[in-house]
């Protein structure tokens, strides 16, 4: 029997003291007498004991086979709502599929951005008091990984040398969670974005697959995949993949896979091979300020296809493959406006454009009586338009287009 | 020879003292030796002498035949930019048509809203410090009209009784302009929206035709027309006309025609018939945050068609008539959301809907595991969807749809 | 025994479906076996039956003596927080005083404004999507009063003629509450400010005394009192009273007393004298974006003094009287800036100023090398500075000062 | 004769095409026939020839003795206006002092932030469309310095070995300005903050002394000084100095001195000693959203005192020395709130506090009936309160205080 459990993890925000929560859904296969309810302690700030030394021996190997875990969140940029519609469609469908994994799904995961209106739109991209991008303050400290490796016992190392990684994996996840707790609990505190992001990581850290659902401004579908996963990312069946290096710039996908890449590197220096990696992606589901349940059904198909390709579910009917283009991050370029004015976007998300092609024109109302009334904007290189700015009103330096240069 | 003159009317705004202007274009037919340059005093704050009594005798009748005047402005709500593109297209075309009128065109007429960003969009609908809607503080005082009528001389009245209205019309315009000056110059000052709107009126008051170009949020084309002009408004060739009563609620169209309606009423009480009225409309050109020059060409066609129908231009090729529906303002209704959540708009601007039809659905991420995940929103009455809210993120009381009820 | 009961009245707001509430405290004297818990139905949207005609006979006279009721709310403009500190101090003190009334206290009564950050400040003055001032959409319809008077039975009228007003008062309150329910329940819905304000009125309508706690931007203490209460308002012991006419402009104080003034007027036309009136005030407790518990102790003293003067409590030690100045609303004037620039406010809230006195100077950084670098702003009339704008950065039309002209 | 020249450097911003400028003042001693007018090309975007290789030989040594240059700007965070008042006072005073340097003064240097209102305040801290902090996008690329050193000719090196640095200094400034031009001129453009900051650097790069005038939110006066200048920074006579390492985090002070520190380091590796360094400071002049000309007179005194101590002016009467405390950046700590609520700041900017002292209390309106109504915030360590958050309304993670830990 597939079970859907719901919990509300509170992230106290309101100046009146009103607790505001993020809904967390867990979907799993439950046998007869299993008692496997949601562990409310995951987001509990009180149980981190910062004075205690971390004791790896506390992490017991469990005889029971652990199922893989999948974590999916949406709308950490609050106006990027289509991911929440996709999570709704995933819940509908997962209930009727065969599950070989446990799922944790967190729609509308940002209670700070969720209430921040800016005119008729939702300004959920950054903390309105600081400008901090809500997707740039996840925790990753390379020194944590070093510290973990230093505490490994002979016994743990011999286990992994004998091909059994699972205990080490469990221990490292537990260690990372312990570090998240320490960070949230420090005397001087953390900023709001760190508080939000690290709290989300406390839930996400258990997962083997992490999907962070976003959208662009006015955008076509695309996926950020770490280089080592671009091949497997084809299974999502979205037309465009941006291949990013395994470095950390603050986002959840990077914060999820980078510690494991570095752990493997450090172990390799000791002659030990670690095969396990967390697979993490940022998935961009079209345009912000918009939801469409019909499109969400299709979007969720790509995710289910990926899950099935990785043996995490069974019974999904599959998708009609599309042609996929992979672009290295260094070739995924931003065209900033050189003019202030009103812009008509001639090239649309998904369009292929050639170098020199007019892709936008800027109207300058002070020059309506001269030949400078309309200024053409041309593509500096050939490629695919992935997204453009959502408004016609631009200033010098506005991010007009992002183009996957071919 | 058709001449295009440009001036920058300054509206000092910037805290550094930077003068920020609005471009004002004047287009007219200029004979050989005419000297008819733009009167820079129109927006001059210094020349209103508040201590002087207004002297109607100063307004001289001019032997020279006055051409009708047309005033068109756009983007007083700064994100409603399509009107500026339409003005650009009008300038292009008017240069090549035969003009029987003089044109004053003011694109991007709101320098306060024009620089007010809110996230990635332009919050140009209201003064960010006060919430004052930039389209609600135009000046109209019924007592001004009463005062004017009281100052009329026997001679002026006899002229109008003899069928010659032009001198009276000129005198009333001059009187209104004098009142605008007094308002702007008063000791205690005026608020920012009053300052902007009254300054624009100082330019617009000379016109016989006033067009205020707006857009809706996500909207189909429509026109607000005073009841007494709905028939002539058909010439704009936009599908939907909202017929409004001749009362004043703060907008430019109302501020333009209401004084004349009331003047005619007061004169009628004296047994005098005044036929002259200013014809004023608010024209809604689709959706905000967007410009499209191709669409602007088509939009300008409707305006040129109206101008030609009123003998103000010649030589325009005309339009293919569309079917026009007129709705009384009392039947133009707003549907406010009863739910907070993420909305998918199923009915689109321009769609005809039936009472009870599901026109939107609200997704509630706290109920993804219950039957309350999706709540249907139905049309309370049958009619045409004119516009909907521009974002999927709504709270209780958000203006979801405006519907022209049939 | 004085009892403090707390309830959370939900005003569903969050796009994730998160219910966000306003804390409502009720303080009353409870005898042995009284069961007098907070009536949760007050804010229940579902129980208004809009098809049913209103049946006044349903309102039963109760043999039990009703205690007077006092309603106090704060922070409907969310950044005006000092009132919440004052409510905290009132709760502390009321517990130890003798109560002859029942108290309903609602701090932080605006869950929409409470979460709306704008840079480092709280933009809780107006709905960020519409510009609607949160203190201008309370419900008052004169036609409601007319309708109520028309439904009065002979019996009800004879009761009041015999000096017993209480049943009629109860009936009118019940009628008003019924009208609030209808408004909130109508098919086309209401806007967000109407939703908030009318919901608050459903709680406030039972009260005989209504206090709406606000602050100014940078402000001294002052009170808005209806003309007929200015004498009794002296008991609040705040230096400045603004005496307002008994007309309706959208605020809670007006919405509270206006229906009763009009009801008395209509009854008087029938030869019946109604003495009962709701006493309602807007109290301005200094400056926004600030709380001070020490000051709150002092501020609450004024309110307790008023309550004791009106026999609603006993045992308060009293205050040291200050000199009170009353200013008619027509003499409470706003000075709007005629210049954009950076302003130094030389006159401070509470200062007496003379006509012509330099009360501010505007610095213009484009004129640092000329004698126009600093422009003096003078008081147009003599009076008391009540408040000034909270920022040095002003544009033309910014509300620089409000002055109680003497 | 001391001359004040003014120019308006345009930074085209407005969507209508309105050019908006920053006033740039130059103050210098002008002899009889000097022709030394402001070089308008400094901010000219058109004259960078990106195809040309940079030719150091173009930089001619000039026989004429160069005077030292001082660059002072204010309000790159637009609400931090007191620096503009200080620049006004500096201009007043410099005219009457003996100058041994040339001064370039740029008040209100951020035309983007200057017009960005957020409620009643000015949100000029970050780009409203991106969250980019306007003080974090100045240009510094270590590889530029490497490239410069590689291009040095034998002749240039021998000059410096012989104790003549001035030609090299001039050459490096010219090289940096060339790099700024390349950056601004690149095909794909730069973001708005980069555009603003790099344009300001084109003006500032000529200076030997760079002062960037800021304020804190609610703050006492303090100075950020690079470690190597903390001793000389005492001459500013402000109570608190924060000593920062010579690394680059995006601000103007760092962008000004870091290239010279790195250049000296690279030359040292070649056995060459470069003594020249740009002296750059960020000066925090109290609180934002405020100007006070009286205080500005005092603040300017500190700056004049520093200039006189460095032989850049003569004739200033001097200051009464205050006691100065220097704190290493690592000991300048931020206390983030652990609670959402309304905060009363008990410790004020400038106060010395002890570890464990209650420095703020948070009021939670949902707990007014419990002992959790008020939560105390204590100082985690002893030190001096430098600043606190400007609003009582805080969320979890809000930057409550910054404390110079002793």
């Amino acid at each position: 029997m597939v079970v859907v459990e719901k919990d509300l993890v509170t992230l106290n925000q309101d100046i009146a003291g009103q607790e505001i929560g993020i809904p967390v859904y867990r979907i799993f296969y439950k046998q007869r007498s299993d008692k496997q309810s949601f562990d409310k302690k995951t987001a509990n700030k009180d149980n981190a004991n910062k004075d205690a030394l971390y004791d790896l021996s506390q992490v017991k190997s469990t005889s029971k086979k652990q199922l893989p875990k999948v974590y999916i969140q949406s709308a950490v940029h609050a106006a990027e709502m289509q991911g929440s519609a996709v999570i709704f469609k995933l819940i509908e469908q997962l209930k009727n599929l065969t599950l070989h994994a446990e799922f944790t799904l967190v729609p509308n995961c940002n209670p700070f951005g969720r209430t921040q209106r800016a005119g008729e739109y939702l300004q959920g991209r950054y903390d309105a008091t600081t400008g901090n991008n809500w997707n740039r303050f996840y925790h990753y400290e390379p020194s944590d990984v070093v510290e973990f490796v230093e505490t490994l016992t002979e016994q743990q190392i011999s286990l992994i040398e004998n091909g059994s990684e699972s205990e080490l994996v469990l221990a490292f996840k537990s260690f990372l969670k312990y570090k998240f707790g320490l960070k949230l609990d420090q005397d001087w505190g953390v900023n709001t974005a760190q508080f939000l992001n690290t709290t989300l990581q406390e839930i996400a850290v258990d997962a083997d697959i992490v999907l962070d659902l976003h959208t662009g401004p006015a955008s076509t579908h695309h996926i950020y995949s770490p280089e080592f996963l671009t091949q497997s990312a084809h299974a999502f069946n979205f037309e465009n993949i941006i291949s990013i290096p395994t470095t950390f710039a603050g986002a959840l996908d990077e914060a999820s896979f980078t510690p494991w890449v570095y752990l493997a590197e450090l172990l390799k220096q000791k002659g030990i091979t670690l095969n396990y990696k967390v697979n993490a992606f940022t998935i961009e589901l079209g345009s912000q300020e918009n939801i469409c349940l019909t499109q969400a059904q299709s979007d969720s198909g790509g995710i289910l296809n990926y899950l099935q390709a990785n043996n995490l579910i069974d019974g999904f009917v599959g998708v009609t493959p599309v042609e996929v283009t992979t672009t290295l991050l260094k070739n995924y370029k931003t065209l900033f406006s050189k003019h202030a004015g009103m812009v008509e976007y001639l090239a649309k998300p998904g369009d292929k454009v050639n170098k020199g092609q007019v892709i936008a024109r800027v109207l300058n109302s002070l020059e309506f009586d001269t030949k400078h009334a309309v200024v053409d904007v041309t593509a500096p290189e050939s490629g695919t338009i992935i997204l453009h700015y959502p408004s016609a009103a631009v200033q010098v330096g506005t991010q007009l287009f992002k183009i996957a240069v071919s």
Side-chain angles (χ1 to χ4, degrees), chain A:
Chain A
M1 184 182 65
V2 173
V3 174
V4 180
E5 283 185 1
K6 177 171 63 183
D7 207 326
L8 203 62
V9 175
T10 59
L11 280 148
N12 189 354
Q13 171 208 30
D14 188 306
I15 65 157
Q18 165 80 48
E19 294 203 330
I20 300 182
I22 52 173
V24 175
Y25 294 90
R26 267 186 89 241
I27 306 181
F28 53 91
Y29 188 82
K30 190 178 190 174
Q31 272 177 311
R32 300 150 305 262
S33 58
D34 270 18
K35 207 175 158 201
Q36 208 173 10
S37 69
F38 181 76
D39 177 5
K40 295 182 185 179
K41 283 196 289 280
T42 42
N44 189 336
K45 300 298 145 308
D46 301 329
N47 65 344
N49 182 348
K50 63 187 166 166
D51 298 325
L53 290 172
Y54 186 76
D55 182 0
L56 268 185
S57 68
Q58 288 177 339
V59 182
K60 296 281 181 261
S61 73
T62 127
S63 59
K64 194 175 156 193
K65 171 97 174 61
Q66 293 271 327
L67 282 177
K69 291 186 170 64
V70 178
Y71 174 86
I72 308 179
Q73 74 175 24
S74 70
V76 79
H77 289 154
E80 304 181 1
M81 289 170 275
Q82 178 67 0
S84 301
V86 168
I87 285 178
F88 172 60
K89 286 296 178 183
L90 285 172
I91 291 174
E92 273 190 355
Q93 292 169 87
L94 287 171
K95 284 191 289 196
N96 301 311
L97 296 168
T98 305
L99 308 188
H100 308 308
E102 293 174 11
F103 293 84
T104 302
L105 307 173
V106 189
N108 298 113
C109 72
N110 181 350
F112 298 94
R114 239 159 57 188
T115 58
Q116 183 65 39
R117 306 204 74 90
E120 295 172 295
Y121 302 89
L122 204 59
Q123 193 290 88
R125 172 165 287 274
Y126 53 77
D127 182 336
T129 65
T130 59
N132 286 340
N133 188 324
W134 296 115
N135 191 29
R136 290 293 178 278
F137 286 83
Y138 291 94
H139 177 82
Y140 168 61
E141 277 296 337
S143 61
D144 291 351
V145 189
V146 173
E147 182 185 339
F148 175 76
V149 170
E150 282 166 359
T151 64
L152 284 178
T153 62
E154 290 296 318
Q155 194 195 346
Q156 288 176 309
I157 290 176
S158 75
L159 264 174
I160 189 173
E161 283 170 334
N162 295 327
S164 171
E165 296 187 338
S166 64
E167 188 176 339
L168 184 90
V169 166
L170 199 62
F172 190 47
K173 291 184 174 184
S174 174
F175 180 80
L176 289 173
K177 194 182 289 193
Y178 160 79
K179 286 290 183 183
F180 300 150
L182 280 191
K183 178 168 187 174
L184 289 169
D185 199 45
Q186 62 189 282
D187 280 350
W188 290 87
V190 292
N191 74 37
T192 309
Q194 289 171 323
F195 172 71
L196 171 65
N197 289 359
T198 312
T199 303
L200 292 172
Q201 278 180 286
E202 287 189 319
I203 307 174
V205 71
D206 290 324
D208 306 290
I209 310 276
V210 172
L211 306 182
D212 194 12
L213 307 186
H214 283 247
T215 78
S219 178
T220 189
H221 285 62
H222 56 292
I223 295 180
Y224 287 94
S225 166
E227 282 164 0
F228 67 90
L229 292 174
T230 49
Q231 201 49 47
S232 74
H234 280 64
F236 285 111
N237 205 41
F238 292 134
E239 281 86 348
N240 291 284
I241 295 174
I242 312 299
S243 171
I244 62 175
T246 51
T247 51
F248 181 65
L252 177 60
D253 53 356
E254 298 157 347
S256 300
F257 61 68
T258 307
W260 297 96
V261 171
Y262 190 42
L263 177 61
E265 200 177 304
L266 290 182
L267 290 175
K268 197 174 181 183
Q269 288 169 13
K270 288 177 179 280
I272 308 162
T273 302
L274 176 71
N275 294 306
Y276 180 85
K277 279 192 183 58
V278 168
N279 291 358
F281 305 91
T282 295
I283 301 182
E284 306 271 342
L285 299 156
S287 302
Q288 68 194 15
E289 296 287 353
N290 178 61
I291 65 164
C292 172
L293 289 171
T294 314
Q295 181 63 43
Q297 179 75 22
S298 157
D299 294 341
S300 64
I303 293 172
L304 292 172
N305 195 60
Y306 173 84
L307 295 172
Q308 189 153 286
N310 286 273
N311 301 314
L312 299 163
I313 59 167
D314 249 335
F316 176 62
V317 294
V319 295
T320 311
V322 297
E323 198 181 333
V324 177
T325 304
T326 300
T327 305
L328 294 182
L329 185 63
K330 66 175 182 182
N331 294 325
Y332 184 43
K333 297 189 178 176
T334 301
L335 180 61
F336 296 99
S337 182
K338 300 201 168 186
H339 306 276
M342 297 169 283
V343 171
E344 178 173 7
Y345 301 93
L346 297 169
K348 300 299 176 191
D351 285 2
K352 311 274 187 206
V353 297
N354 293 317
K355 180 174 177 170
Q357 181 179 331
V358 177
I359 56 177
R361 40 192 183 195
V362 186
L363 197 58
N364 179 333
S365 70
L366 282 177
E367 303 287 348
F368 278 3
D369 56 341
T370 80
K371 61 179 181 172
H372 303 298
V374 179
V375 176
D376 286 343
V377 176
T378 56
E381 300 184 50
S382 298
T384 302
I385 302 290
I386 299 297
L387 57 86
H388 67 67
Y389 196 63
S391 165
V394 305
Q395 50 193 18
V396 176
T398 296
Q399 180 177 308
L400 277 188
F401 288 98
K402 292 189 81 171
I403 303 177
V405 171
S406 52

